[in-house]
Amino acid sequence: MGKGGIMNADYILVRFGEIALKGRNRSRFEDKLIQNIRKVLKGLNQVKVTKTYGRIYVELSGESADIVMERLKKVFGLISFSPVKRTELDINEMKDTALSLIQQMNPKPKTFKVESKRSLKTFPLRSPEICNEIGGHILTNTEGITVDVHHPDTTVNVEVRDEGAFIFSQVVPGIGGMPGESSGRGIALLSGGIDSPVASWLAMKRGLLLEGVHFHTYPMTSADSIQKVIELAKVLSTYSGHFKLHIIPFLEIQKEIKKNNEKVSHNITIMRRIFMRIAKEIADRRKALTIVTGESLGQVASQTLESMVAINHGIDIPVIRPLITMDKLEIIAIAKKIGTFEPSILPYEDMCSRFVPKKPATKPSISIAERAEKKMDMEKLIESALANSKTITVTPYSKISIDDIIGIDE
Ligand code: ATP
Ligand code: MG
Protein backbone atom coordinates (compact mmCIF):
# COMPACT_ATOMS: atom_id res chain seq x y z
CA MET A 1 0.00 0.00 0.00
CA GLY A 2 1.40 3.37 -0.98
CA LYS A 3 1.66 6.55 1.03
CA GLY A 4 -1.73 7.47 2.42
CA GLY A 5 -3.36 4.24 1.26
CA ILE A 6 -6.37 2.83 3.05
CA MET A 7 -6.94 -0.67 4.28
CA ASN A 8 -10.27 -2.10 3.16
CA ALA A 9 -11.21 0.79 0.93
CA ASP A 10 -14.83 0.81 -0.23
CA TYR A 11 -14.40 2.67 -3.51
CA ILE A 12 -11.86 3.99 -5.92
CA LEU A 13 -12.69 7.55 -6.88
CA VAL A 14 -11.64 8.13 -10.48
CA ARG A 15 -10.74 11.57 -11.83
CA PHE A 16 -10.64 12.34 -15.51
CA GLY A 17 -9.34 15.43 -17.21
CA GLU A 18 -9.54 16.92 -20.62
CA ILE A 19 -12.87 15.43 -21.53
CA ALA A 20 -14.43 17.93 -19.20
CA LEU A 21 -13.65 20.45 -21.94
CA LYS A 22 -15.57 18.65 -24.60
CA GLY A 23 -18.89 20.41 -24.18
CA ARG A 24 -21.72 18.62 -25.92
CA ASN A 25 -19.60 15.54 -26.51
CA ARG A 26 -18.86 15.20 -22.85
CA SER A 27 -21.24 12.41 -22.03
CA ARG A 28 -20.17 10.40 -25.06
CA PHE A 29 -16.57 10.67 -23.84
CA GLU A 30 -17.56 9.73 -20.32
CA ASP A 31 -19.49 6.71 -21.53
CA LYS A 32 -16.47 5.61 -23.56
CA LEU A 33 -14.28 6.03 -20.51
CA ILE A 34 -16.60 3.93 -18.35
CA GLN A 35 -16.68 1.27 -21.04
CA ASN A 36 -12.87 1.23 -21.11
CA ILE A 37 -12.66 1.02 -17.32
CA ARG A 38 -15.06 -1.93 -17.33
CA LYS A 39 -12.92 -3.58 -19.99
CA VAL A 40 -9.71 -3.49 -17.94
CA LEU A 41 -11.54 -4.63 -14.81
CA LYS A 42 -12.98 -7.65 -16.59
CA GLY A 43 -12.65 -10.78 -14.49
CA LEU A 44 -12.84 -8.92 -11.16
CA ASN A 45 -16.44 -9.95 -10.79
CA GLN A 46 -17.51 -8.20 -7.64
CA VAL A 47 -16.43 -4.68 -8.66
CA LYS A 48 -18.98 -2.28 -10.05
CA VAL A 49 -18.34 0.93 -12.02
CA THR A 50 -20.80 3.75 -11.46
CA LYS A 51 -21.15 7.36 -12.47
CA THR A 52 -22.73 9.88 -10.13
CA TYR A 53 -22.67 13.65 -10.35
CA GLY A 54 -20.07 13.62 -13.09
CA ARG A 55 -17.76 11.37 -11.12
CA ILE A 56 -16.77 7.81 -11.69
CA TYR A 57 -16.50 5.37 -8.79
CA VAL A 58 -15.35 1.80 -8.75
CA GLU A 59 -17.21 0.03 -5.97
CA LEU A 60 -14.78 -2.56 -4.63
CA SER A 61 -17.07 -4.91 -2.64
CA GLY A 62 -14.05 -6.55 -1.05
CA GLU A 63 -11.72 -6.53 -4.08
CA SER A 64 -8.20 -5.20 -3.41
CA ALA A 65 -7.77 -1.50 -4.12
CA ASP A 66 -4.20 -2.11 -5.27
CA ILE A 67 -5.21 -4.66 -7.88
CA VAL A 68 -7.92 -2.36 -9.23
CA MET A 69 -5.60 0.67 -9.29
CA GLU A 70 -2.87 -1.31 -11.07
CA ARG A 71 -5.38 -1.88 -13.87
CA LEU A 72 -6.71 1.68 -13.84
CA LYS A 73 -3.14 2.83 -14.48
CA LYS A 74 -3.60 1.48 -18.01
CA VAL A 75 -6.75 3.43 -18.85
CA PHE A 76 -6.19 6.45 -21.10
CA GLY A 77 -8.06 9.57 -20.02
CA LEU A 78 -7.67 9.05 -16.27
CA ILE A 79 -5.87 11.82 -14.42
CA SER A 80 -5.75 10.22 -10.98
CA PHE A 81 -7.62 8.02 -8.56
CA SER A 82 -8.01 7.64 -4.82
CA PRO A 83 -9.01 4.76 -2.58
CA VAL A 84 -11.95 5.97 -0.53
CA LYS A 85 -13.46 4.85 2.73
CA ARG A 86 -17.20 5.45 3.16
CA THR A 87 -18.82 6.00 6.55
CA GLU A 88 -22.31 6.78 7.76
CA LEU A 89 -23.17 10.47 8.10
CA ASP A 90 -22.07 10.47 11.69
CA ILE A 91 -19.30 12.80 12.80
CA ASN A 92 -17.88 10.32 15.31
CA GLU A 93 -17.57 7.62 12.72
CA MET A 94 -16.01 10.14 10.33
CA LYS A 95 -13.47 11.20 12.97
CA ASP A 96 -12.42 7.63 13.72
CA THR A 97 -12.05 6.74 10.08
CA ALA A 98 -9.93 9.84 9.39
CA LEU A 99 -7.76 9.05 12.39
CA SER A 100 -7.15 5.45 11.39
CA LEU A 101 -6.31 6.60 7.89
CA ILE A 102 -3.53 8.80 9.31
CA GLN A 103 -2.37 6.03 11.66
CA GLN A 104 -2.03 3.55 8.79
CA MET A 105 0.23 5.82 6.78
CA ASN A 106 3.76 4.70 6.09
CA PRO A 107 5.95 6.72 6.31
CA LYS A 108 4.24 8.52 9.13
CA PRO A 109 3.35 12.10 8.13
CA LYS A 110 4.74 14.94 10.27
CA THR A 111 2.15 17.45 9.13
CA PHE A 112 -1.41 17.23 7.83
CA LYS A 113 -4.50 19.19 7.04
CA VAL A 114 -8.16 18.32 6.66
CA GLU A 115 -10.23 19.52 3.73
CA SER A 116 -13.94 19.16 3.61
CA LYS A 117 -16.66 19.47 0.97
CA ARG A 118 -20.31 19.36 1.86
CA SER A 119 -22.68 18.69 -0.99
CA LEU A 120 -25.37 17.49 1.42
CA LYS A 121 -26.46 20.84 2.78
CA THR A 122 -28.67 19.35 5.51
CA PHE A 123 -25.66 17.87 7.33
CA PRO A 124 -25.60 19.69 10.73
CA LEU A 125 -21.92 20.75 10.54
CA ARG A 126 -20.54 23.09 7.94
CA SER A 127 -17.23 22.44 6.17
CA PRO A 128 -14.95 24.47 8.50
CA GLU A 129 -16.56 22.80 11.50
CA ILE A 130 -16.06 19.37 10.01
CA CYS A 131 -12.37 20.19 9.45
CA ASN A 132 -11.99 21.43 13.03
CA GLU A 133 -13.69 18.42 14.57
CA ILE A 134 -11.70 15.92 12.58
CA GLY A 135 -8.40 17.82 12.79
CA GLY A 136 -8.79 18.16 16.56
CA HIS A 137 -9.52 14.44 16.91
CA ILE A 138 -6.36 13.56 14.99
CA LEU A 139 -4.20 15.96 17.04
CA THR A 140 -5.52 14.59 20.34
CA ASN A 141 -4.95 10.97 19.41
CA THR A 142 -1.55 11.05 17.71
CA GLU A 143 1.94 12.14 18.66
CA GLY A 144 4.49 14.11 16.68
CA ILE A 145 2.12 15.41 14.05
CA THR A 146 1.01 19.00 13.55
CA VAL A 147 -1.27 20.92 11.24
CA ASP A 148 0.22 22.68 8.24
CA VAL A 149 -2.39 24.21 5.94
CA HIS A 150 0.11 25.30 3.28
CA HIS A 151 2.45 22.38 2.66
CA PRO A 152 1.17 19.38 4.58
CA ASP A 153 2.73 15.93 4.13
CA THR A 154 -0.78 14.62 3.71
CA THR A 155 -4.27 15.97 3.20
CA VAL A 156 -7.29 14.16 4.59
CA ASN A 157 -10.28 14.84 2.36
CA VAL A 158 -13.77 14.48 3.72
CA GLU A 159 -16.73 14.76 1.39
CA VAL A 160 -20.22 14.78 2.82
CA ARG A 161 -22.69 13.50 0.25
CA ASP A 162 -26.17 12.00 0.19
CA GLU A 163 -24.76 8.48 0.16
CA GLY A 164 -22.47 8.99 3.16
CA ALA A 165 -19.14 10.54 4.06
CA PHE A 166 -16.26 9.81 1.66
CA ILE A 167 -12.82 9.98 3.24
CA PHE A 168 -9.52 9.68 1.38
CA SER A 169 -6.02 11.06 1.17
CA GLN A 170 -3.96 9.06 -1.31
CA VAL A 171 -3.93 10.39 -4.88
CA VAL A 172 -2.42 8.02 -7.44
CA PRO A 173 -1.54 9.52 -10.83
CA GLY A 174 -3.12 7.98 -13.94
CA ILE A 175 -1.63 8.04 -17.46
CA GLY A 176 -3.79 10.88 -18.77
CA GLY A 177 -4.62 11.36 -22.44
CA MET A 178 -7.97 10.92 -24.13
CA PRO A 179 -10.29 7.95 -23.62
CA GLY A 180 -9.25 5.06 -25.84
CA GLU A 181 -11.08 4.91 -29.17
CA SER A 182 -12.55 8.40 -28.80
CA SER A 183 -10.58 9.92 -31.69
CA GLY A 184 -11.23 7.51 -34.54
CA ARG A 185 -9.18 4.83 -36.20
CA GLY A 186 -5.58 4.71 -37.41
CA ILE A 187 -3.17 2.21 -38.93
CA ALA A 188 0.16 1.83 -37.11
CA LEU A 189 3.22 0.54 -38.94
CA LEU A 190 4.57 -1.83 -36.35
CA SER A 191 8.07 -3.23 -36.69
CA GLY A 192 9.73 -5.25 -33.96
CA GLY A 193 11.89 -2.27 -33.01
CA ILE A 194 11.82 0.03 -30.01
CA ASP A 195 10.25 3.02 -31.72
CA SER A 196 7.04 1.99 -33.42
CA PRO A 197 5.41 0.43 -30.33
CA VAL A 198 6.11 3.68 -28.44
CA ALA A 199 4.68 5.73 -31.32
CA SER A 200 1.61 3.49 -31.32
CA TRP A 201 1.14 3.87 -27.59
CA LEU A 202 1.37 7.66 -27.81
CA ALA A 203 -1.22 7.74 -30.60
CA MET A 204 -3.49 5.45 -28.58
CA LYS A 205 -3.04 7.81 -25.67
CA ARG A 206 -4.66 10.56 -27.73
CA GLY A 207 -7.70 8.38 -28.25
CA LEU A 208 -6.87 6.61 -31.52
CA LEU A 209 -8.14 3.10 -32.04
CA LEU A 210 -5.11 1.55 -33.73
CA GLU A 211 -4.70 -1.48 -35.91
CA GLY A 212 -1.13 -2.62 -36.50
CA VAL A 213 0.41 -3.55 -39.83
CA HIS A 214 3.55 -5.65 -39.80
CA PHE A 215 5.55 -6.63 -42.89
CA HIS A 216 7.72 -9.73 -42.66
CA THR A 217 10.04 -11.71 -44.87
CA TYR A 218 9.49 -15.19 -43.49
CA PRO A 219 10.96 -17.71 -44.26
CA MET A 220 14.05 -15.70 -45.13
CA THR A 221 13.86 -14.27 -41.62
CA SER A 222 12.72 -16.35 -38.68
CA ALA A 223 9.20 -16.84 -37.37
CA ASP A 224 10.47 -15.50 -34.04
CA SER A 225 10.58 -12.00 -35.45
CA ILE A 226 6.82 -12.22 -36.16
CA GLN A 227 6.21 -13.68 -32.72
CA LYS A 228 8.02 -10.69 -31.27
CA VAL A 229 5.62 -8.28 -32.95
CA ILE A 230 2.70 -10.30 -31.60
CA GLU A 231 4.22 -9.93 -28.14
CA LEU A 232 4.43 -6.17 -28.66
CA ALA A 233 0.81 -6.08 -29.83
CA LYS A 234 -0.05 -7.96 -26.66
CA VAL A 235 1.59 -5.32 -24.49
CA LEU A 236 -0.30 -2.60 -26.39
CA SER A 237 -3.53 -4.54 -25.93
CA THR A 238 -3.21 -4.26 -22.16
CA TYR A 239 -4.04 -0.56 -22.66
CA SER A 240 -6.94 -1.05 -25.05
CA GLY A 241 -8.31 -4.51 -24.26
CA HIS A 242 -7.49 -5.78 -27.75
CA PHE A 243 -5.20 -4.94 -30.65
CA LYS A 244 -5.80 -5.98 -34.24
CA LEU A 245 -2.69 -6.88 -36.21
CA HIS A 246 -2.40 -7.32 -39.98
CA ILE A 247 0.56 -9.50 -40.84
CA ILE A 248 1.74 -9.03 -44.40
CA PRO A 249 4.23 -11.16 -46.34
CA PHE A 250 6.79 -8.92 -48.02
CA LEU A 251 9.46 -11.30 -49.30
CA GLU A 252 8.16 -11.41 -52.88
CA ILE A 253 8.10 -7.62 -53.08
CA GLN A 254 11.56 -7.36 -51.59
CA LYS A 255 12.89 -9.72 -54.26
CA GLU A 256 11.24 -7.65 -56.96
CA ILE A 257 12.80 -4.48 -55.60
CA LYS A 258 16.24 -6.10 -55.69
CA LYS A 259 15.65 -7.27 -59.23
CA ASN A 260 14.36 -4.01 -60.64
CA ASN A 261 16.18 -1.30 -58.77
CA GLU A 262 19.64 -0.39 -59.99
CA LYS A 263 20.40 2.17 -57.29
CA VAL A 264 20.91 0.01 -54.22
CA SER A 265 21.02 3.16 -52.09
CA HIS A 266 17.28 3.53 -52.82
CA ASN A 267 16.20 0.04 -51.72
CA ILE A 268 14.89 1.25 -48.39
CA THR A 269 13.13 4.23 -49.93
CA ILE A 270 11.26 2.00 -52.33
CA MET A 271 10.44 -0.49 -49.63
CA ARG A 272 9.03 2.27 -47.41
CA ARG A 273 7.02 3.72 -50.29
CA ILE A 274 5.39 0.33 -50.80
CA PHE A 275 4.78 -0.03 -47.04
CA MET A 276 2.87 3.22 -47.25
CA ARG A 277 0.87 2.17 -50.26
CA ILE A 278 -0.20 -1.05 -48.61
CA ALA A 279 -0.93 0.70 -45.32
CA LYS A 280 -3.08 3.24 -47.19
CA GLU A 281 -4.99 0.42 -48.85
CA ILE A 282 -5.62 -1.20 -45.45
CA ALA A 283 -6.60 2.18 -44.01
CA ASP A 284 -9.21 2.58 -46.75
CA ARG A 285 -10.59 -0.88 -46.19
CA ARG A 286 -10.72 -0.40 -42.43
CA LYS A 287 -12.04 3.17 -42.62
CA ALA A 288 -8.95 4.50 -40.85
CA LEU A 289 -8.02 8.14 -41.42
CA THR A 290 -4.33 8.17 -40.55
CA ILE A 291 -1.11 6.16 -40.60
CA VAL A 292 1.16 6.18 -37.55
CA THR A 293 4.91 5.46 -37.79
CA GLY A 294 7.84 5.41 -35.37
CA GLU A 295 10.10 7.74 -37.34
CA SER A 296 12.26 10.26 -35.50
CA LEU A 297 13.88 13.09 -37.42
CA GLY A 298 17.45 12.32 -38.40
CA GLN A 299 17.66 9.06 -36.44
CA VAL A 300 18.75 7.06 -39.50
CA ALA A 301 19.26 7.74 -43.20
CA SER A 302 15.68 6.95 -44.10
CA GLN A 303 14.36 9.42 -41.55
CA THR A 304 15.62 12.65 -43.06
CA LEU A 305 13.06 15.18 -44.26
CA GLU A 306 14.02 14.35 -47.86
CA SER A 307 13.38 10.67 -47.20
CA MET A 308 10.05 11.36 -45.62
CA VAL A 309 9.02 13.45 -48.60
CA ALA A 310 9.96 10.60 -50.94
CA ILE A 311 8.16 8.06 -48.77
CA ASN A 312 4.97 10.13 -48.50
CA HIS A 313 4.92 11.12 -52.14
CA GLY A 314 1.58 10.27 -53.73
CA ILE A 315 0.06 8.88 -50.55
CA ASP A 316 -2.99 10.93 -49.71
CA ILE A 317 -3.51 10.37 -46.00
CA PRO A 318 -2.11 12.18 -42.95
CA VAL A 319 0.87 10.42 -41.41
CA ILE A 320 1.27 10.89 -37.66
CA ARG A 321 4.81 10.55 -36.35
CA PRO A 322 4.58 10.93 -32.58
CA LEU A 323 8.34 10.48 -32.07
CA ILE A 324 9.48 12.91 -34.72
CA THR A 325 11.14 15.32 -32.26
CA MET A 326 12.23 12.84 -29.63
CA ASP A 327 15.73 11.62 -28.83
CA LYS A 328 16.40 7.91 -28.66
CA LEU A 329 16.90 8.09 -24.88
CA GLU A 330 13.52 9.74 -24.43
CA ILE A 331 11.91 7.05 -26.55
CA ILE A 332 13.62 4.28 -24.58
CA ALA A 333 12.42 5.81 -21.30
CA ILE A 334 8.82 5.63 -22.52
CA ALA A 335 9.31 2.09 -23.85
CA LYS A 336 10.47 1.00 -20.40
CA LYS A 337 7.60 2.74 -18.69
CA ILE A 338 4.91 1.20 -20.90
CA GLY A 339 6.39 -2.30 -21.01
CA THR A 340 7.41 -2.61 -24.68
CA PHE A 341 11.16 -2.29 -24.15
CA GLU A 342 11.85 -5.90 -23.14
CA PRO A 343 10.11 -7.54 -26.10
CA SER A 344 11.57 -4.91 -28.44
CA ILE A 345 15.16 -5.78 -27.67
CA LEU A 346 14.82 -9.53 -28.26
CA PRO A 347 17.61 -10.25 -30.71
CA TYR A 348 15.67 -11.53 -33.73
CA GLU A 349 16.76 -10.46 -37.13
CA ASP A 350 14.27 -8.13 -38.75
CA MET A 351 13.47 -7.97 -42.43
CA CYS A 352 15.65 -5.00 -43.13
CA SER A 353 18.90 -6.38 -41.82
CA ARG A 354 19.81 -8.16 -45.06
CA PHE A 355 18.23 -5.60 -47.30
CA VAL A 356 19.69 -2.35 -46.01
CA PRO A 357 22.31 -0.99 -48.39
CA LYS A 358 25.75 -0.06 -47.02
CA LYS A 359 25.08 3.54 -47.90
CA PRO A 360 21.34 4.29 -47.90
CA ALA A 361 20.37 7.55 -49.59
CA THR A 362 19.79 10.39 -47.17
CA LYS A 363 18.40 12.51 -50.00
CA PRO A 364 16.62 9.93 -52.14
CA SER A 365 15.29 10.89 -55.52
CA ILE A 366 11.64 10.22 -56.22
CA SER A 367 12.31 9.67 -59.90
CA ILE A 368 14.88 6.93 -59.22
CA ALA A 369 12.33 5.19 -57.00
CA GLU A 370 9.60 5.61 -59.59
CA ARG A 371 11.80 4.25 -62.36
CA ALA A 372 12.33 1.00 -60.46
CA GLU A 373 8.71 0.79 -59.38
CA LYS A 374 7.48 1.17 -62.99
CA LYS A 375 9.31 -2.02 -63.88
CA MET A 376 7.45 -3.93 -61.18
CA ASP A 377 3.89 -5.19 -61.50
CA MET A 378 2.99 -3.18 -58.44
CA GLU A 379 -0.74 -3.70 -58.42
CA LYS A 380 -0.43 -7.43 -58.62
CA LEU A 381 2.33 -7.56 -56.00
CA ILE A 382 0.31 -5.50 -53.55
CA GLU A 383 -2.86 -7.46 -54.24
CA SER A 384 -1.08 -10.73 -53.62
CA ALA A 385 0.59 -9.50 -50.41
CA LEU A 386 -2.82 -8.46 -49.11
CA ALA A 387 -4.46 -11.68 -50.24
CA ASN A 388 -1.82 -13.66 -48.34
CA SER A 389 -1.95 -11.50 -45.26
CA LYS A 390 -3.32 -12.70 -41.98
CA THR A 391 -5.29 -10.61 -39.51
CA ILE A 392 -5.37 -11.51 -35.84
CA THR A 393 -6.83 -9.86 -32.77
CA VAL A 394 -4.46 -9.93 -29.84
CA THR A 395 -5.68 -9.56 -26.26
CA PRO A 396 -3.65 -9.48 -23.04
CA TYR A 397 -4.46 -13.15 -22.57
CA SER A 398 -4.29 -14.53 -26.08
CA LYS A 399 -2.11 -17.45 -26.98
CA ILE A 400 -1.40 -17.27 -30.65
CA SER A 401 0.25 -20.06 -32.52
CA ILE A 402 2.74 -18.74 -34.99
CA ASP A 403 2.17 -21.79 -37.19
CA ASP A 404 -1.35 -20.58 -37.97
CA ILE A 405 0.12 -17.39 -39.31
CA ILE A 406 3.10 -18.49 -41.34
CA GLY A 407 1.30 -21.52 -42.72
CA ILE A 408 -0.43 -19.12 -45.08
CA ASP A 409 2.32 -17.78 -47.26
CA GLU A 410 4.40 -20.86 -47.93
P1 ATP B 1 11.45 0.91 -35.12
O1 ATP B 1 12.25 0.92 -33.86
O2 ATP B 1 10.03 1.26 -34.92
O3 ATP B 1 11.67 -0.32 -35.93
P2 ATP B 1 13.47 2.25 -36.55
O4 ATP B 1 14.16 3.31 -35.81
O5 ATP B 1 14.10 0.92 -36.70
O6 ATP B 1 12.01 2.11 -35.96
P3 ATP B 1 13.08 2.28 -39.36
O7 ATP B 1 13.53 0.88 -39.48
O8 ATP B 1 13.65 3.33 -40.22
O9 ATP B 1 13.13 2.86 -37.94
O10 ATP B 1 11.50 2.27 -39.58
C1 ATP B 1 10.77 3.47 -39.53
C2 ATP B 1 9.33 3.13 -39.29
O11 ATP B 1 8.80 2.34 -40.36
C3 ATP B 1 9.13 2.27 -38.07
O12 ATP B 1 9.08 3.02 -36.88
C4 ATP B 1 7.81 1.61 -38.37
O13 ATP B 1 6.73 2.49 -38.11
C5 ATP B 1 7.93 1.37 -39.88
N1 ATP B 1 8.44 0.02 -40.14
C6 ATP B 1 9.73 -0.36 -40.29
N2 ATP B 1 9.82 -1.68 -40.51
C7 ATP B 1 8.56 -2.17 -40.51
C8 ATP B 1 7.97 -3.47 -40.69
N3 ATP B 1 8.71 -4.56 -40.92
N4 ATP B 1 6.62 -3.57 -40.63
C9 ATP B 1 5.86 -2.49 -40.40
N5 ATP B 1 6.35 -1.26 -40.24
C10 ATP B 1 7.68 -1.08 -40.28
MG1 MG C 1 13.25 -0.88 -37.20
Side-chain angles (χ1 to χ4, degrees):
M1 202 181 312
K3 191 182 167 198
I6 306 186
M7 269 189 294
N8 308 319
D10 299 308
Y11 300 93
I12 304 294
L13 162 62
V14 175
R15 299 180 194 82
F16 44 93
E18 269 178 77
I19 57 173
L21 303 173
K22 296 287 161 187
R24 273 192 303 136
N25 283 326
R26 179 178 175 149
S27 80
R28 187 172 63 85
F29 278 84
E30 285 179 6
D31 291 346
K32 195 86 227 172
L33 197 55
I34 288 177
Q35 228 177 51
N36 295 345
I37 292 173
R38 292 209 171 106
K39 223 188 276 175
V40 296
L41 296 179
K42 223 162 142 181
L44 305 177
N45 292 329
Q46 65 267 45
V47 306
K48 211 170 107 196
V49 184
T50 51
K51 183 170 102 173
T52 40
Y53 305 113
R55 277 191 164 176
I56 297 174
Y57 288 99
V58 181
E59 200 174 321
L60 292 171
S61 313
E63 184 54 77
S64 138
D66 287 342
I67 288 177
V68 169
M69 289 196 295
E70 232 15 78
R71 297 205 189 178
L72 292 178
K73 279 181 192 163
K74 300 207 152 183
V75 178
F76 294 119
L78 300 190
I79 298 296
S80 67
F81 22 88
S82 295
V84 172
K85 193 83 191 146
R86 192 186 78 89
T87 75
E88 294 306 319
L89 288 166
D90 171 82
I91 189 67
N92 289 323
E93 209 183 311
M94 289 154 65
K95 282 189 209 170
D96 286 339
T97 304
L99 174 64
S100 72
L101 195 146
I102 289 265
Q103 285 168 334
Q104 282 165 24
M105 287 180 189
N106 184 18
K108 219 173 130 201
K110 289 201 173 58
T111 55
F112 78 105
K113 78 168 167 183
V114 182
E115 271 189 2
S116 165
K117 262 195 212 146
R118 189 181 62 144
S119 55
L120 175 68
K121 297 299 174 199
T122 55
F123 190 70
L125 302 174
R126 286 179 302 156
S127 288
E129 293 162 343
I130 296 171
C131 291
N132 279 340
E133 288 274 338
I134 292 176
H137 187 66
I138 291 170
L139 286 172
T140 320
N141 293 287
T142 50
E143 268 172 29
I145 176 166
T146 55
V147 172
D148 179 345
V149 290
H150 299 297
H151 305 287
D153 290 346
T154 186
T155 299
V156 177
N157 294 275
V158 180
E159 297 188 6
V160 177
R161 312 166 68 98
D162 291 354
E163 318 92 277
F166 287 61
I167 302 177
F168 63 91
S169 91
Q170 186 186 23
V171 179
V172 179
I175 43 175
M178 297 290 288
E181 306 183 15
S182 63
S183 305
R185 195 184 297 247
I187 296 296
L189 292 190
L190 202 58
S191 71
I194 295 172
D195 302 332
S196 46
V198 173
S200 301
W201 185 86
L202 288 168
M204 287 160 72
K205 184 170 182 234
R206 290 309 298 172
L208 274 185
L209 165 59
L210 284 192
E211 296 185 10
V213 167
H214 175 66
F215 301 99
H216 69 84
T217 45
Y218 179 86
M220 191 183 78
T221 44
S222 77
D224 290 336
S225 68
I226 302 175
Q227 186 70 51
K228 175 177 171 176
V229 177
I230 294 173
E231 286 311 310
L232 288 165
K234 208 184 233 188
V235 175
L236 293 173
S237 79
T238 63
Y239 295 90
S240 52
H242 54 86
F243 191 93
K244 208 185 265 283
L245 186 61
H246 305 273
I247 299 169
I248 321 270
F250 203 78
L251 187 54
E252 252 351 277
I253 299 180
Q254 213 174 63
K255 284 181 188 161
E256 284 295 304
I257 297 173
K258 268 190 180 159
K259 201 161 82 191
N260 293 293
N261 174 34
E262 286 148 25
K263 284 267 191 199
V264 186
S265 65
H266 280 56
N267 272 357
I268 293 286
T269 314
I270 297 169
M271 183 178 86
R272 287 278 141 77
R273 282 163 58 88
I274 302 173
F275 280 4
M276 286 307 230
R277 247 175 270 184
I278 294 177
K280 167 73 164 90
E281 178 60 34
I282 294 173
D284 289 346
R285 292 183 187 185
R286 300 294 306 154
K287 299 198 168 31
L289 299 180
T290 184
I291 294 173
V292 178
T293 75
E295 289 155 300
S296 160
L297 190 60
Q299 197 189 78
V300 292
S302 58
Q303 297 179 18
T304 59
L305 272 183
E306 289 84 352
S307 282
M308 284 184 237
V309 168
I311 290 164
N312 271 32
H313 183 79
I315 306 292
D316 192 13
I317 186 170
V319 178
I320 295 181
R321 300 178 166 94
L323 311 184
I324 198 73
T325 60
M326 284 190 199
D327 298 346
K328 194 74 186 186
L329 289 178
E330 294 173 288
I331 299 168
I332 288 174
I334 301 176
K336 287 184 173 163
K337 189 181 83 178
I338 66 175
T340 55
F341 186 71
E342 291 300 322
S344 279
I345 57 172
L346 292 172
Y348 306 125
E349 183 180 40
D350 76 18
M351 65 180 299
C352 299
S353 36
R354 292 189 209 180
F355 190 66
V356 174
K358 278 206 186 70
K359 277 206 170 140
T362 52
K363 294 183 177 163
S365 131
I366 292 174
S367 54
I368 290 177
E370 281 176 343
R371 198 179 315 143
E373 289 164 15
K374 276 212 186 83
K375 290 195 262 168
M376 300 165 61
D377 190 347
M378 197 60 81
E379 243 167 65
K380 199 165 145 228
L381 285 168
I382 290 178
E383 208 173 281
S384 146
L386 284 167
N388 291 309
S389 70
K390 180 101 186 166
T391 297
I392 56 174
T393 299
V394 182
T395 72
Y397 314 103
S398 35
K399 287 198 172 56
I400 287 156
S401 159
I402 193 76
D403 298 333
D404 295 341
I405 292 159
I406 55 189
I408 290 280
D409 66 295
E410 274 167 354

